[in-house]
Amino acid sequence: MNTFIQKISYTQILLLALFFRLGASIFSYGYGFHDDHFITVEIARSWVDNYNESQWLPDAAQGVTSASGHSRFYPNILKYTMIGLQSMGMVNPEWVMFIIRLMHALFSLLIVHYGYKISKKLFDENSSKMIALLLSVYWFMPMLSVRNLVEMVCIPPLMIGAYMLLNRDKTSFYYLLLAGFIAGMAVSVRFQCLIMVGGMGLALFIEQRWRDAIYYGLGVLLSIIMLQGIPDYFMWGLPFAEFIGYYDYNIKNSGAYPSGEWYNFILLISGLMLIPLGIAVWFGYFKNIKKNIIIWLPAILFLAFHSYFPNKQERFILPCVPFIIICGIGGWMQIEKSSAFWNKNKKLLNGLYVFFLLLNTILLFALSFSSSKANRVDAMNYLRNKGDVKAYIVETSHVTSTIPLPRFYLGKWCDRYTVTQNEPAEKLKAELNEYPERPKPNYVVFMDDVQIGSRIVNFSRKYGKVHFETMIEPSPLDRFMTWINPVNENQTTYIFRIEQ
């Protein structure tokens, strides 16, 4: 492994990162999580179309008079990107999302670049290239890098701010103000990043760089005021209304989401990094804490907070992962170089690296060149191409819950209805008959093939006759994810036209 790292150049590493991210831009369409579509892309597109999806904007007629607790900074970037593409005649949702994925792919190269530059400040050239390589081709990085995921989008400004603070010879007021302003942008993307941004400032105090810490803090404050405080004041009449709403919601609903033991995120990070690096990284992470304090402290504080807080969704921990990789892998390579055991057992060490490379390569290609939630996107693309959708029904009568379909790809904000165990077809028909002025759904989308025959017959008998249109199967990745964990709902989709 060391021989390979010595031979490869940083430029080659960056090109490798670009290759896999371009591949993910092309092949990894769809979305990975609910939040990287429905509270980013869907929201932004609705604003372009003068529609208030999820009611993030004030609407007195609908009783929306207080902030929902979501930052509008990143969705607004998506909104104006869509407006720009629309002005150039690009309105097809599939092409719009390809361009947006491509933009994210290029933006994510900053993670690789600043990972390398930060590592050069802390470690030797080989360690820096090793870290840059891992940030380039760790199996999960390219796929996540093209997602509309705030937990990934916030990473570049965090790393740029950290790198600027590591330039200890640059201490002018404007330089440190800019460092704080850039780092503060991460907070406007993802509110929890305030912990990491504050951790950098605390690290400056620990290093007794009092003046630098004050200038940096002023930059952070200026960034948050300009990007959150002022917009919220004009929108809601209250500075930081969204942050207050976010804090209030999470305090009241902290137990309403997936939870777990305090060590869950430690295990998750270890698993993401695979054997042997998933174990080695923790040995390296606690080496040279004092020297690495500006990178080390923000990550450990962020990890500690999320390990303590009840809501433990996997994606939450992503902002600190590159920081852990930098400190952990850099420290591990120092341990490896000075260890008598590993110097005597180089065959064992090389064998572990070969195992890591094989496993990582398999996962890297599997994720970078395949799609997630593909059947849901394909279903909406199909209905858009039909061109006659008035409204549609999502049928999941075999379970009590429904499955959201991405209306962004439908290209219109028509009414959507659901049929579940608790909301049967006959109840929906009775409700629609009470409001004859509302557009009647002319398509029904059956999600999952469980009891599909009886569900179709039952729906046709209780709501109206249907005619088969198409069947859409989940992608190989979706089927695999469902196989390893049935919680991942990626179902075969059946589309029927409702006889009017």
Side-chain angles (χ1 to χ4, degrees):
M1 189 70 176
N2 286 333
T3 303
F4 172 76
I5 292 297
Q6 288 171 358
K7 289 182 177 180
I8 194 171
S9 68
Y10 170 64
T11 301
Q12 290 171 322
I13 291 172
L14 205 57
L15 288 173
L16 198 60
L18 179 61
F19 170 78
F20 281 101
R21 281 156 178 76
L22 288 178
S25 299
I26 297 168
F27 296 101
S28 185
Y29 70 92
Y31 52 98
F33 309 86
H34 177 92
D35 286 17
D36 69 313
H37 179 83
F38 290 96
I39 68 168
T40 52
V41 176
E42 203 96 335
I43 295 295
R45 184 69 238 185
S46 78
W47 295 346
V48 173
D49 298 332
N50 295 315
Y51 185 75
N52 192 11
E53 174 68 2
S54 298
Q55 298 183 327
W56 282 24
L57 305 179
D59 188 346
Q62 298 295 323
V64 184
T65 57
S66 60
S68 62
H70 295 92
S71 172
R72 299 184 306 280
F73 177 62
Y74 174 61
N76 269 321
I77 293 174
L78 293 177
K79 170 189 171 181
Y80 290 110
T81 300
M82 293 175 190
I83 290 174
L85 293 173
Q86 187 170 284
S87 70
M88 295 184 287
M90 187 176 292
V91 294
N92 186 306
E94 294 174 88
W95 280 104
V96 169
M97 280 310 302
F98 169 70
I99 296 299
I100 289 176
R101 286 195 301 273
L102 188 60
M103 290 171 55
H104 283 74
L106 298 175
F107 183 63
S108 74
L109 292 178
L110 292 173
I111 298 174
V112 179
H113 181 64
Y114 279 94
Y116 176 74
K117 294 187 75 170
I118 288 170
S119 301
K120 288 272 286 183
K121 292 285 185 182
L122 303 174
F123 310 108
D124 59 26
E125 176 67 12
N126 281 352
S127 298
S128 301
K129 288 194 291 185
M130 177 69 165
I131 290 165
L133 181 64
L134 292 173
L135 292 174
S136 299
V137 297
Y138 244 132
W139 60 279
F140 57 91
M141 286 299 290
M143 185 274 287
L144 290 179
S145 294
V146 302
R147 301 269 78 88
N148 301 98
L149 199 62
V150 293
E151 287 84 0
M152 291 296 295
V153 175
C154 69
I155 295 174
L158 286 172
M159 297 186 74
I160 294 171
Y163 171 73
M164 294 178 73
L165 295 182
L166 285 170
N167 288 327
R168 293 179 172 85
D169 56 330
K170 295 184 178 181
T171 58
S172 71
F173 171 74
Y174 291 109
Y175 182 83
L176 291 164
L177 191 76
L178 180 61
F181 189 92
I182 293 173
M185 292 174 69
V187 180
S188 291
V189 175
R190 179 69 171 162
F191 287 147
Q192 288 101 323
C193 288
L194 184 61
I195 298 166
M196 293 189 69
V197 172
M200 294 181 205
L202 182 58
L204 293 177
F205 276 111
I206 292 173
E207 290 187 329
Q208 298 183 359
R209 295 167 59 185
W210 320 113
R211 186 178 65 94
D212 295 357
I214 292 170
Y215 292 168
Y216 165 79
L218 288 174
V220 172
L221 186 61
L222 179 64
S223 177
I224 296 174
I225 289 173
M226 289 183 63
L227 301 179
Q228 289 296 318
I230 294 174
D232 281 3
Y233 176 77
F234 283 105
M235 182 68 71
W236 301 105
L238 176 68
F240 307 110
E242 297 289 359
F243 187 84
I244 294 168
Y246 181 80
Y247 174 83
D248 184 63
Y249 175 84
N250 278 277
I251 291 298
K252 292 178 180 177
N253 297 275
S254 62
Y257 293 92
S259 188
E261 302 296 336
W262 65 269
Y263 51 78
N264 277 22
F265 283 126
I266 297 174
L267 295 178
L268 175 64
I269 293 170
S270 303
L272 284 175
M273 296 184 186
L274 307 178
I275 296 173
L277 297 185
I279 299 172
V281 70
W282 296 112
F283 288 95
Y285 184 70
F286 289 93
K287 184 176 176 61
N288 296 328
I289 291 175
K290 184 177 180 181
K291 181 182 178 183
N292 303 337
I293 191 71
I294 289 176
I295 305 300
W296 185 88
L297 186 60
I300 199 69
L301 291 176
F302 196 78
L303 178 61
F305 169 79
H306 282 290
S307 296
Y308 169 78
F309 198 73
N311 189 352
K312 290 182 173 59
Q313 298 179 57
E314 291 89 345
R315 59 188 170 81
F316 285 179
I317 206 64
L318 289 173
C320 76
V321 168
F323 286 67
I324 292 174
I325 290 175
I326 291 170
C327 289
I329 298 302
W332 168 253
M333 292 189 74
Q334 291 177 333
I335 293 171
E336 182 186 307
K337 188 184 297 184
S338 61
S339 169
F341 175 81
W342 291 117
N343 281 313
K344 290 179 181 178
N345 295 274
K346 288 189 175 181
K347 286 187 177 180
L348 173 61
L349 183 63
N350 289 333
L352 290 171
Y353 275 128
V354 168
F355 175 78
F356 163 78
L357 287 172
L358 287 173
L359 184 57
N360 188 79
T361 301
I362 293 169
L363 293 172
L364 175 66
F365 277 92
L367 281 182
S368 300
F369 298 96
S370 58
S371 300
S372 174
K373 307 292 189 295
N375 62 308
R376 305 182 193 185
V377 171
D378 291 342
M380 291 290 99
N381 283 330
Y382 179 86
L383 291 178
R384 184 188 76 254
N385 290 328
K386 292 293 292 185
D388 63 346
V389 179
K390 299 175 183 177
Y392 66 93
I393 301 169
V394 179
E395 200 276 358
T396 54
S397 62
H398 59 298
V399 292
T400 57
S401 59
T402 189
I403 295 171
L405 297 180
R407 286 192 290 175
F408 169 83
Y409 292 95
L410 183 61
K412 59 167 63 175
W413 300 96
C414 63
D415 288 341
R416 54 188 173 181
Y417 303 97
T418 61
V419 169
T420 66
Q421 281 184 356
N422 296 334
E423 300 288 333
E426 61 269 29
K427 182 178 179 181
L428 173 61
K429 186 169 186 178
E431 290 175 355
L432 289 173
N433 287 337
E434 291 182 17
Y435 302 96
E437 72 281 359
R438 297 181 67 174
K440 296 296 187 291
N442 57 338
Y443 286 92
V444 55
V445 182
F446 291 85
M447 303 297 293
D448 209 344
D449 53 8
V450 176
Q451 304 170 6
I452 187 62
S454 61
R455 285 162 55 199
I456 293 169
V457 170
N458 186 62
F459 180 89
S460 183
R461 186 173 66 247
K462 294 182 177 179
Y463 187 90
K465 291 183 179 180
V466 296
H467 302 277
F468 177 73
E469 284 278 338
T470 190
M471 179 183 76
I472 300 171
E473 293 187 352
S475 69
L477 175 61
D478 286 335
R479 289 196 293 269
F480 176 72
M481 293 302 293
T482 302
W483 178 72
I484 62 172
N485 186 358
V487 171
N488 297 303
E489 297 179 319
N490 297 295
Q491 310 89 343
T492 301
T493 302
Y494 302 84
I495 299 178
F496 283 76
R497 179 170 50 84
I498 300 172
E499 185 175 297
Q500 297 296 303

